[in-house]
Amino acid sequence: MTNETKMTARHVDVFYGDKKAIDDVSIDIDNGIVTAFIGPSGCGKSTFLRSLNRMNDTIPIARVTGEIKLDGDDIYASGMDPVALRARVGMVFQKPNPFPKSIYENIAYGPRIHGIAQGKADMDAIVEKALTRAGLWQEVKDRLTDAGTALSGGQQQRLCIARAIAVSPEVILMDEPCSALDPIATARIEELIEDLKNRYAIVIVTHSMQQAARVSQRTAFFHLGNLVEYGDTEQVFQNPQETRTKDYITGRYG
Amino acid sequence: MSSTFQSDAFMQRLAKRHAAEKRFRLLGLGAIVLSLGFLALLLFIMLKNGLAGIDWQFLSGSDSTEASVAGVWGAAKGSLLTMIVTLAISFPLGVCAAIYLEEFAPRTRWIEWVEVSINNLAAVPSIIFGLLGLAVFINTFQMPRSAPLVGGLTLALMTMPVIVISGRNAIKAVPPSIRDAALAVGASEVQTVFHHVLPLALPGILTGTIIGMARALGETAPLLMIGMRAFVASPPDGFTDPSTVLPMQIFLWSDEIDRAFVVNTSAAIIVLLVFLMAMNGLAIYLRNKFEVRW
C-alpha cells in the first residue's frame, strides 16, 4: 500500500452562500503518506478538508462544485451515500470531542452502527485493537467503563483517533488535531500519526509549520482559497517555488 | 505625589459605588422576602383551615352535598386520568416537533411561520383551548362530555407548545461538536439525533415537560368549557367516565353556600399543592438522573 492515489480533487470550488471560500483547487492525495494542509487562518484549508468527507453537507449554505473522487468514484455523485462515505473517510476534529459515554462505548459506537462486530468478543477485540493502535490501550485498559470525557485532553484526542480507526476507514482527515493540546500531548499525537501513516491516507490541517515539516511527506499551501503550492514537504519548505509560499514559511505573514 | 486612585474625588465616588452595591443587595433580598412571605402566608392559612379536614373519609370519598361526607378522591383520580392523557399526547408530539424543527426542517419561510405560530400558541389564553376542545372533540368528534379523555386532549393542545419550546432550547444547547463526532464515524442524521443529541437534551426536555404538566394540572378555565364542572359523586372508572379535577373541585366547593365546605376547600388546596410538589420533585429527580456531567 504505497504511494497510489487515494483521493483526487479537480477544479473544486466551495461556496458559503455567495462567498467563495475555495477557488479551483486540484490535488491528489496518496495512500500510505501524510499530506499536510498549511496556510494562514481563513485560507480555506479546513473548509477544503471538510469537503473531502462531505461534512460541509451539514452547513445548509455550503455548496461544493467540481469533482472529488475516492478510488475513482465521485463522492458528490447522487449514488454516493454520505453515511457510507464517512465510514470510509474518518475525521478527527480540532477540539477533542469524545461522546459523553464510557471509553468502550466511544470506540464501539461506530462498529456497532455499521454492524462490523460479530458478537461481544469480536467487539471487545475491535475496541482493544483501535485503542492499541491509538497508543491508549495501556493507559485505559483497566477503566474502559470510565467516561471518555474524564480523560486528559491529549488522551481524549487519542480516544477520538481510536474512535475513527475503529470503523476501519481508508482515509483519516485531521483538522488541527493538536491545537488544543500541550507540547507533550502534541508529541504523542505526532508519533501516533507516524505509526498510522502506512495503513491509511492521512490528511492533516495544521497551523504549525514545524508540525507539517515533522509529520508530513507532502505539503499543500493554501492562501485566500487558492492552492498556491503542492509538493513534497522537503521541497516546499526548503525550496518553495512560489513567493507567497516562501513568504509564509519564512514568517513574513500568517 | 498622589495618584488618581488616592484623590478625594475618587474616594467619594468609591463610597457611592459601595452604597449602590449595598442598596441593590437590600432590594433583592426584599423582593425575595416579599414573594416568599406571601407564599408562606398562603400555606399557613390553608394549613390552619384545611388540616383539620384531612381524614380518611376526605381522601377516599367523592363529592357530596354533605360537607362532612364529601371527599377529594374523585377529583384527584380525575386529575390523574386527565394528566395521563395529556402526557401521552403532548410529550411524544412535542418532542418530535422540537426535533424536527431544530434538526431537520429546511430553513424556509414556511418553517419560520410555523415557529412563530408555536411561540404564539404557548401564549394563547387557556379558555380559548377550552372552546377549541368543545368545538372539535365534543361537537365534531362526538366524544363524551365531562370526561378525562377530552380534558386531557384539550390540555395536551395547551401543553404541547410549551414542550416544543423547551425541547428546542434543550436541543439547541447540545454542543455541535457531538453531532460532528457522530456524523464523522458514519452515523446517519436520525442516529445522530437519537443516539447522541436527544439523550443530552433529555433533562432539559423533561424539566420543560413537567413545568407544562404542572400548569395543566392547575388549569380550570378550559375544563369549564368541556363540562368538567359537573357534580360527580363517584370517582371515574375510566377515561370516558364523567369526572372533575382538583382545581375544579376547589372552585366548586369555594362556591358552596354551606360554611362547612370552607374546610373542604382548604383541604383540597393542600392536596393539590402536595400533588404539584410531588411533580416538581419528580422533575428534579429526573433531571439529576439523566444529566450528563462533562
Side-chain angles (χ1 to χ4, degrees), chain A residues 87 107-119 122-123 126 163-169, chain B residues 185:
Chain A
I107 310 297
Y109 180 71
R112 182 173 306 128
I113 56 173
H114 297 305
I116 293 172
Q118 318 290 328
D122 198 20
M123 183 65 90
I126 290 173
R163 179 175 67 190
I165 293 172
V167 288
S168 308
Chain B
V185 293

Side-chain angles (χ1 to χ4, degrees), chain B residues 10-214:
Chain B
F10 178 80
M11 286 302 168
Q12 273 167 16
R13 278 191 68 84
L14 193 63
K16 268 188 188 166
R17 282 156 66 184
H18 282 303
E21 189 121 333
K22 204 174 265 176
R23 276 200 303 279
F24 180 76
R25 278 166 199 267
L26 276 173
L27 191 71
L29 190 66
I32 289 176
V33 168
L34 193 69
S35 45
L36 282 185
F38 273 112
L39 195 64
L41 189 68
L42 172 83
L43 276 177
F44 174 73
I45 294 173
M46 289 310 135
L47 287 172
K48 183 170 153 279
N49 291 343
L51 222 45
I54 295 183
D55 52 24
W56 184 242
Q57 169 66 37
F58 181 76
L59 290 177
S60 63
S62 285
D63 201 3
S64 162
T65 48
E66 193 68 46
S68 60
V69 186
V72 83
W73 173 238
K77 193 173 176 193
S79 273
L80 198 67
L81 293 174
T82 305
M83 286 299 108
I84 290 172
V85 175
T86 302
L87 186 66
I89 303 289
S90 64
F91 184 69
L93 280 182
V95 173
C96 281
I99 291 173
Y100 180 76
L101 285 174
E102 210 47 56
E103 299 282 328
F104 295 102
R107 299 277 108 200
T108 61
R109 188 153 295 186
W110 190 77
I111 289 293
E112 273 171 34
W113 185 82
V114 169
E115 286 173 356
V116 171
S117 304
I118 287 179
N119 290 346
N120 285 336
L121 219 49
V124 167
S126 56
I127 190 122
I128 312 281
F129 285 103
L131 279 169
L132 183 71
L134 177 66
V136 175
F137 301 128
I138 295 182
N139 290 346
T140 308
F141 293 138
Q142 299 289 317
M143 289 181 183
R145 249 165 210 285
S146 311
L149 176 65
V150 177
L153 287 172
T154 306
L155 292 177
L157 292 176
M158 208 186 83
T159 310
M160 199 197 81
V162 178
I163 297 179
V164 174
I165 292 169
S166 68
R168 290 189 63 191
N169 288 333
I171 290 168
K172 219 178 279 184
V174 175
S177 63
I178 292 299
R179 293 178 182 83
D180 281 349
L183 291 172
V185 293
S188 68
E189 285 179 63
V190 170
Q191 285 173 327
T192 301
V193 168
F194 280 89
H195 296 165
H196 301 284
V197 177
L198 199 55
L200 291 175
L202 204 56
I205 297 176
L206 288 177
T207 309
T209 302
I210 293 187
I211 289 170
M213 292 294 290

Side-chain angles (χ1 to χ4, degrees), chain A residues 216-249:
Chain A
S216 75
Q217 286 71 51
R218 291 276 178 79
T219 296
F221 171 61
F222 286 80
H223 186 231
L224 300 174
N226 295 302
L227 176 59
V228 177
E229 184 159 354
Y230 180 44
D232 288 341
T233 298
E234 212 159 290
Q235 180 249 307
V236 170
F237 278 94
Q238 283 170 9
N239 187 21
Q241 304 297 303
E242 300 280 333
T243 5
R244 279 196 283 172
T245 318
K246 198 172 167 187
D247 288 350
Y248 181 68
I249 56 179

Side-chain angles (χ1 to χ4, degrees), chain A residues 29-217:
Chain A
I29 289 158
D30 287 357
N31 244 337
I33 62 165
V34 178
T35 305
F37 291 176
I38 61 169
S41 297
C43 68
K45 54 196 190 304
S46 290
T47 297
F48 184 66
L49 188 79
R50 291 171 70 94
S51 63
L52 295 178
N53 69 342
R54 294 183 58 174
M55 282 300 282
N56 278 337
D57 287 15
T58 60
I59 304 165
I61 58 164
R63 194 161 51 83
V64 179
T65 64
E67 188 185 75
I68 302 178
K69 286 183 170 175
L70 172 66
D71 285 342
D73 299 323
D74 186 351
I75 66 168
Y76 282 91
S78 57
M80 178 63 80
D81 186 339
V83 168
L85 172 69
R86 292 184 199 128
R88 294 172 64 190
V89 184
M91 192 164 203
V92 176
F93 297 86
Q94 192 170 352
K95 202 170 146 259
N97 57 352
F99 300 128
K101 301 179 182 210
S102 71
I103 292 169
Y104 186 96
E105 217 25 64
N106 263 280
I107 310 297
Y109 180 71
R112 182 173 306 128
I113 56 173
H114 297 305
I116 293 172
Q118 318 290 328
K120 171 92 172 87
D122 198 20
M123 183 65 90
D124 289 349
I126 290 173
V127 170
E128 178 172 348
K129 195 167 123 197
L131 285 170
T132 307
R133 280 200 185 162
L136 197 58
W137 177 250
Q138 287 305 324
E139 290 157 64
V140 301
K141 63 179 177 189
D142 299 321
R143 47 179 183 137
L144 291 174
T145 54
D146 284 11
T149 44
L151 297 170
S152 74
Q155 287 174 323
Q156 285 189 20
Q157 195 61 299
R158 277 182 280 145
L159 182 67
C160 292
I161 293 173
R163 179 175 67 190
I165 293 172
V167 288
S168 308
E170 298 153 35
V171 182
I172 301 177
L173 309 175
M174 299 185 175
D175 189 359
E176 297 183 37
C178 303
S179 64
L181 305 179
D182 64 44
I184 295 166
T186 299
R188 296 224 45 182
I189 302 278
E190 289 182 7
E191 279 167 33
L192 176 55
I193 292 170
E194 181 66 30
D195 293 343
L196 294 174
K197 74 172 186 221
N198 296 324
R199 298 173 197 274
Y200 313 93
I202 295 178
V203 185
I204 179 170
V205 164
T206 175
H207 261 300
S208 151
M209 281 174 283
Q210 291 86 340
Q211 183 168 62
R214 281 193 301 264
V215 302
S216 75
Q217 286 71 51

